[in-house]
Amino acid sequence: TLERAPISGAFPFRTGIYGSMTSRNMARAPMRPEPIPNAVNANPATSGHCAGARQMKGEISAISIMAIASAEAAIGSAIVPATYRSARPIRTDQSNSLKR
Amino acid sequence: MLDRAELLGLFPEILLWDTTLILLVLGMMVARTPARPAAPFVRTVAWLGLHCVLLAIVLVGVGIPITINSIHDILLTDSFTHCCDIFLLVGTAGTIMLIVDHGGRDTLRAFETIVLILLSTSGMLVLISASDLLIMFIAMELQTLCFYVLAASKRDSECSTEAGLKYFLLGAFSSGLFLFGCSMVYGSTGVTNFEELGILALTRSWGVPDPSTGIPIIGILCIVVGFLFKITAVPFHMWAPDVYEGSLTLVTAFFSIAPKIAIFANMVRVLNHCFHDHDWQSLLFFASIGSMILGTVAAMAQQKVKRFVVYSSIGHVGYLCIGFAGGTTMEGIQSLLIGLLIYLFMTVNVFGLFCAVRPVRSQYLGDLGVFGKLHPLFAITFSLTMFSYAGIPPLAGFCSKFYLFFGAIRCGADVLAGLGVVTSVISCFYYLRLVKLMYFDLPGEYMIPPRLDRDNSIVLAITVACITLMFLYTSPLFLVTHYMAMGLFAESGVGFSGSVA
């Protein structure tokens, strides 16, 4: 049935939201929001088969979203060593150099 | 496939993409050492980038703004996108002009900054023309990913890399939320094109209980929340002060100017065409109220220059969101576009002034006291800009606020207009306090203010001229924004005279 796709996509979505809110380790922090685009992919990938069946809009959306999510993960993972090189905070709640 | 008419709509983007690639390859080839090209080379790249943007302005400006549906309707180019492209490219050109003169002072060591700015500008141009949910997301991600790197671009500064990391974490979260909204909308309707969504929005019912009819509210709300994150409106503004303060001043200038134009333009198109007159209105109502209040109250307590500008721009975003208050009326959209253009000039001016004083390392507001005595032209320019931000009459800021509040009253949103007036009065305090600091206070330590460079002076002169003269001669402003709003409403065949629910 069609309603299972958003529901099963909601579980990794919730995991990603929880993870990106509570990550305390700086090296893990950029990887925590990764389940979110994965979960979101579930919707167009299944709906593309059913509703907009003239063009494969859903499947192509899923591939594009995957590409962008991986680019985002790469950039996040590249920012972390730059932070580590200049200021060595391992925990995210220790990065307070911008506090007023 | 692509025919010539479709490529016409893409010329500025193609120019920027090609320039980005050429400059990147040029940088790779010319770099003296693998890690650090020489500063004059950075300046050369910056000038080439600036010429590219100016050429793009000319290309867009002389093009005939016909309506083109490109590439199977995923991009829509009409008079609205035409003028928004020009605004965006003018803002980018202003920012790059502020960057080019710093090559001599060796503070911008990586030519990649210019390349990233051009790439994100091309993403923003595609975002303005986007007519499809997926293309909107891809363009927005192109812009945002470049911004993450730009925020962290000063790699030996603790503040800058921390700003980049914070921006990345919150931006990834908000992009995910935005994408969730897009996928909900696509999943329930099967269409991603804005025009088709607009037709669906009118002809179907909006019920949530039966998911097979209508677009789910959660989808629309997630998309609007994603937009509010990007324009730093209030419940979602938390990342802005840290990120804007930690980045380089030049990069903060670009952050404050360019994405607001692109994302407001895209918001107008999405909310006007697709999700016409529905529950996003109350969310934008509260975001506007919150942004105005928070921007006013928080800016009063700031001691540092850049955080002050961030909070004042959050307040300004609140005023701009008033334009969405009455649903999607033409006066509201027109006043929003007027406010956006005037905000562009004021912000370029403020950042031009701050970029000029950056070498003397003045970070705090109290350091401004030097300029009133030693650099009177700077002080006059700054004062005019502060008066314009505060909304004092003979300047352009008054014009923008007046039309925004007028549009709100016409739609019946008296609360917004009243609150806007009250917060404007309160904001006069801290804007005029800067003028007082400059003229009447003794600075903590005396320093010799630097000479303004030629390019910086040109930018400041043009923007101050616009700020002072725009109130006296407002007809170009009104003609342009009316033309844009007409273009926006004319090509959508759906009804557009909404009212406050």
Side-chain angles (χ1 to χ4, degrees), chain B residues 98 249 252-253 256-257 305-306 308-310 312-313 342-358 368 378 381-389 431 434 456 459-460 463-464 467:
Chain B
L98 298 177
T249 311
T252 308
S256 306
I257 299 166
V305 159
K306 275 204 276 188
F308 172 79
V309 174
V310 173
S312 86
S313 82
I342 293 177
Y343 169 77
L344 162 69
F345 286 124
M346 293 195 296
T347 314
V348 171
N349 200 8
V350 164
F351 278 104
L353 294 166
F354 290 150
C355 286
V357 308
R358 243 179 8 92
L368 287 173
F378 179 98
T381 312
F382 193 77
S383 312
L384 283 175
T385 312
M386 288 297 119
F387 280 119
S388 175
Y389 261 116
Y431 286 126
L434 293 195
N456 209 338
V459 171
L460 288 175
T463 49
V464 158
I467 290 173

Side-chain angles (χ1 to χ4, degrees), chain B residues 271-272 275-281 326-329 495-499 501:
Chain B
L271 298 178
N272 184 33
F275 311 131
H276 193 69
D277 260 355
H278 279 281
D279 302 90
W280 50 265
Q281 198 176 315
T328 52
T329 59
F496 48 75
S497 57
S499 57

Side-chain angles (χ1 to χ4, degrees), chain B residues 8-17 19 48-63 82 85-90 92-93 118 121-122 125:
Chain B
L8 272 180
L10 276 178
F11 273 168
E13 287 92 343
I14 291 177
L15 177 66
L16 282 173
W17 287 329
T19 310
L48 287 172
L50 176 64
H51 286 308
C52 161
V53 175
L54 293 175
L55 195 59
I57 295 177
V58 170
L59 260 185
V60 178
V62 305
H82 184 243
D85 281 350
I86 295 180
F87 290 175
L88 175 68
L89 289 169
V90 165
T92 309
L118 288 180
T121 308
S122 72
L125 286 176

Side-chain angles (χ1 to χ4, degrees), chain B residues 14-30 41 45 48 52 111 115 118:
Chain B
I14 291 177
L15 177 66
L16 282 173
W17 287 329
D18 287 344
T19 310
T20 309
L21 290 173
I22 291 173
L23 286 178
L24 198 55
V25 172
L26 179 69
M28 288 294 110
M29 284 174 22
V30 177
F41 174 67
V45 170
L48 287 172
C52 161
F111 73 94
V115 172
L118 288 180

